[in-house]
Amino acid sequence: MLEVAPAYLSDTDAVDVLALLCDEIGETVENGLAARRYALTGDRRALYGTVL
């Protein structure tokens, strides 16, 4: 997710970019954002409620 939506993008800006990727891989944008937040912080709480 960080390759597609780098860390310098805000979540709002990352949604536009991640929407295309998530659509291609059959994942929800919410789960894509959660995976990106986890990659940024390393905090597993970012994945709470998601199934990846």
Side-chain angles (χ1 to χ4, degrees), residues 4-6 9-20 29 33 36:
V4 175
L9 293 177
S10 68
D11 277 355
T12 307
D13 293 334
V15 167
D16 297 330
V17 179
L18 287 178
L20 298 171
V29 175
L33 282 172
R36 180 176 176 268

Side-chain angles (χ1 to χ4, degrees), residues 29-42:
V29 175
E30 292 80 17
N31 285 352
L33 282 172
R36 180 176 176 268
R37 283 187 212 108
Y38 173 67
L40 288 169
T41 64

